[in-house]
Amino acid sequence: MNAFVGTGALVRLILRRDRVLMPVWILLLSLTPVLLASSIKLAYPTAAGLAQYAAESRSNATFSMLYGQITVPTLGGMTFWRSATGMTFLALIALLTVVRHTRTEEEAGRRELVGATVVGRQASLAAALITTFAACLAVGVLVTLGLLTQHVPAGGAVIAGLAWTAAGWMFATVGAVAAQLTEGAGAARGLALTVLAVAFVLRAGGDANNTWLSWLSPLGWTYRADPFGSPRWWVFAAAAAVVAALGGSAMWLSGQRDLGAGFLPQRSGPADAGRGLRSAMGLAWRLQRGALLAWTTAFAVLGVIFGGVAKTTVDLFVKNERLGDVFQQLGGRAGMSDVFIAGMMSIAALIVSGYAISAALKLRTEEASLRSEPVLATTTGRFSWLSSHLVFAIVGPTVALTVCGLIAGLTYGASVSDIGRELPRVLGAALVQLPAVWLLAGLTVALFGLLPRLAQPLGWTALAVCLFLGQIGAVLRLGQALLDVSPFTHVPRVPAADLSAVPLLWLAGIAALLTAAGFVGFRRRDIPVT
């Protein structure tokens, strides 16, 4: 039988399963350059202003590490520079999508059922790659069209869209190879994310010091495509070679291994379980500890970045007459720094909400993979089992935001020589976000208990809606009633505004009610629901 028989049917299946999540991330990512271009035009309407902005940004190693090297001080060049981080997010989503539709399906046993029908051996991997490639191409096309609305050179807009697409395609194939090498979805994600992290570090290190190091990273190729200066077309030939090599390798590896097996040997565990695995909490800790450590480490790095960038960003705003007048009304430099800190911690809260949702969705993963049933067949009750994972959905984000706030406060306080004053203010700006994060975690638990099959798509959709309303809603001038749908809209903008306990108590109360609904629903429904 042809190894690719049934690929079209599996593509349609993936599109149906991702009919909500995929359009959301395509839209959010593709809108990023357009919104940045609009904000840059508003803040720097003249060529002289753009040139000054570019010159000051080039001298800042932190900016170069985050966004890459600035090549030309034009609207198109500055927009591509500021939005380049979005290519990293696209690469992340692409590799996770491929792993989810390959190794995750295989680990859950669904790949074996599908393979028993008239479906070729390579159809599953081919369908995952085709779908992800198409989604990344859609992002690239929309990025191009969006930039054209900002009246930038058409050729540069096309190259910018190609750069976004190339980043997604390359790391989609990285995810495909990782899915063949490992025996579990978690290991596949870990391996692929490690490759992405190394690529980002090489790119960031090279750009921070303007050295050849960034050329060792595929991300560095796309960041330095220079669409509005001297376009480097050869980076797309190199990207195509990487895609062909990794995609072909993934196909070959898929054809050589047994179903459910991987090429990297797994370390054998102990013959007897340790004392820590004798309780539901011990098992949850074993399953969740890796994610908790990874997210906490990432937020420690994020705290360093936020704290390091805060003073430099404020200095840039102060030198801009139009923005300086606006922020002068908010309290001058102090008001400007407070607004920036509040905004950065709001973004951090949105990011850590992803961890809260994923920790809560571990319940659904365990149930759908039929691993919860043996646990609940013991003396472990449903309440204890659900509570053990809920702890990580609540405490995990708290730990991550606390670490981020502490390190950001120390870093920023040191930069302005006033740690004693800035540390508690920045930490407070981080911790005040927690009730909104808990509300999304509670919503996910409620969905798990009442509508388990919809818990994953609706949980992530809720986060996407909050992200859209928080980061794009104001730019689109949406009504306040619509913006109020997001719980983050109600969080006091500490330290730029006074702390009000009332909205925080309301958010915490709603989170508690949603969590209670999830417990009641889980207690009354049948398990497993697959």
Side-chain angles (χ1 to χ4, degrees):
M1 183 173 63
N2 188 326
F4 295 95
V5 168
T7 300
L10 292 180
V11 167
R12 292 191 294 273
L13 176 62
I14 292 174
L15 291 175
R16 177 170 177 78
R17 293 181 61 191
D18 287 4
R19 63 187 180 275
V20 175
L21 186 60
M22 187 174 289
V24 168
W25 62 257
I26 288 174
L27 180 62
L28 290 177
L29 288 175
S30 59
L31 282 175
T32 301
V34 181
L35 297 175
L36 285 172
S38 300
S39 63
I40 290 173
K41 282 197 298 185
L42 178 64
Y44 303 94
T46 65
L50 280 173
Q52 181 184 1
Y53 178 34
E56 292 167 347
S57 299
R58 283 194 187 102
S59 63
N60 189 286
T62 304
F63 278 11
S64 297
M65 180 184 69
L66 289 175
Y67 309 121
Q69 289 287 321
I70 298 173
T71 55
V72 288
T74 62
L75 176 61
M78 298 303 292
T79 299
F80 182 77
W81 169 72
R82 279 291 281 111
S83 64
T85 309
M87 293 188 289
T88 303
F89 283 103
L90 180 59
L92 171 64
I93 293 172
L95 70 85
L96 292 177
T97 300
V98 171
V99 171
R100 184 163 69 90
H101 289 294
T102 52
R103 178 54 72 171
T104 301
E105 293 296 291
E106 196 168 331
E107 186 178 31
R110 292 187 289 268
R111 171 70 178 85
E112 188 172 9
L113 292 175
V114 172
T117 64
V118 186
V119 173
R121 185 178 184 88
Q122 305 286 13
S124 178
L125 177 58
L129 286 174
I130 289 171
T131 308
T132 306
F133 283 174
C136 294
L137 180 60
V139 171
V141 171
L142 291 175
V143 165
T144 298
L145 296 176
L147 288 175
L148 289 176
T149 64
Q150 304 302 309
H151 307 294
V152 300
V158 171
I159 297 172
L162 286 174
W164 280 68
T165 301
W169 281 20
M170 285 189 288
F171 283 91
T173 55
V174 168
V177 172
Q180 310 311 313
L181 293 176
T182 59
E183 291 189 12
R189 285 190 291 268
L191 178 60
L193 290 173
T194 299
V195 174
L196 178 61
V198 171
F200 182 83
V201 169
L202 288 174
R203 199 280 312 157
D207 285 340
N209 300 289
N210 196 20
T211 64
W212 55 268
L213 193 63
S214 61
W215 292 112
L216 298 179
S217 166
L219 282 178
W221 306 345
T222 57
Y223 272 60
R224 295 198 175 192
D226 196 9
F228 297 97
S230 300
R232 296 184 174 99
W233 289 95
W234 65 265
V235 302
F236 302 117
V242 169
V243 171
L246 292 180
S249 299
M251 289 293 178
W252 183 82
L253 292 170
S254 176
Q256 297 299 312
R257 67 179 178 86
D258 292 332
L259 187 66
F263 284 89
L264 297 180
Q266 285 192 327
R267 181 173 59 88
S268 299
D272 299 317
R275 295 176 60 88
L277 292 177
R278 296 181 181 179
S279 65
M281 181 58 69
L283 177 59
W285 164 252
R286 180 66 174 269
L287 295 173
Q288 301 262 16
R289 63 184 181 184
L292 176 60
L293 177 61
W295 279 87
T296 303
T297 303
F299 268 72
V301 175
L302 196 64
V304 173
I305 294 173
F306 283 171
V309 170
K311 183 177 183 299
T312 305
T313 303
V314 171
D315 290 341
L316 286 176
F317 284 160
V318 167
K319 295 177 181 179
N320 184 296
E321 294 183 2
R322 297 182 64 178
L323 292 178
D325 292 340
V326 173
F327 283 106
Q328 191 66 37
Q329 299 175 6
L330 297 175
R333 177 181 290 271
M336 195 181 305
S337 62
D338 289 349
V339 170
F340 180 81
I341 291 170
M344 290 300 98
M345 289 308 166
S346 178
I347 293 175
L350 283 167
I351 296 173
V352 84
S353 295
Y355 169 45
I357 292 171
S358 65
L361 285 176
K362 191 67 176 177
L363 293 161
R364 178 58 186 159
T365 301
E366 293 297 294
E367 181 184 16
S369 60
L370 304 181
R371 290 191 291 266
S372 63
E373 198 171 10
V375 174
L376 295 175
T378 66
T379 56
T380 301
R382 295 193 183 195
F383 182 87
S384 298
W385 181 73
L386 198 157
S387 298
S388 64
H389 288 280
L390 178 62
V391 166
F392 290 91
I394 299 299
V395 176
T398 305
V399 172
L401 274 179
T402 301
V403 169
C404 181
L406 283 173
I407 295 181
L410 287 171
T411 306
Y412 178 61
S415 68
V416 297
S417 303
D418 196 356
I419 295 178
R421 176 176 182 269
E422 298 300 338
L423 177 58
R425 297 172 75 246
V426 176
L427 179 60
L431 296 181
V432 79
Q433 306 288 335
L434 283 172
V437 178
W438 293 339
L439 191 150
L440 288 181
L443 175 62
T444 306
V445 172
L447 291 170
F448 169 73
L450 301 171
L451 301 169
R453 291 189 179 92
L454 299 178
Q456 184 171 1
L458 291 183
W460 291 116
T461 300
L463 176 59
V465 169
C466 292
L467 180 61
F468 177 82
L469 293 176
Q471 304 304 309
I472 302 175
V475 177
L476 298 180
R477 298 182 180 180
L478 299 179
Q480 188 61 43
L482 187 57
L483 294 177
D484 287 342
V485 171
S486 171
F488 298 94
T489 304
H490 306 279
V491 175
R493 301 303 180 190
V494 176
D498 294 333
L499 176 64
S500 175
V502 174
L504 299 180
L505 291 174
W506 271 105
L507 292 173
I510 294 172
L513 289 175
L514 289 170
T515 303
F519 273 88
V520 172
F522 180 63
R523 182 178 181 181
R524 294 183 176 181
R525 70 172 173 84
D526 294 334
I527 57 169
V529 176
T530 58

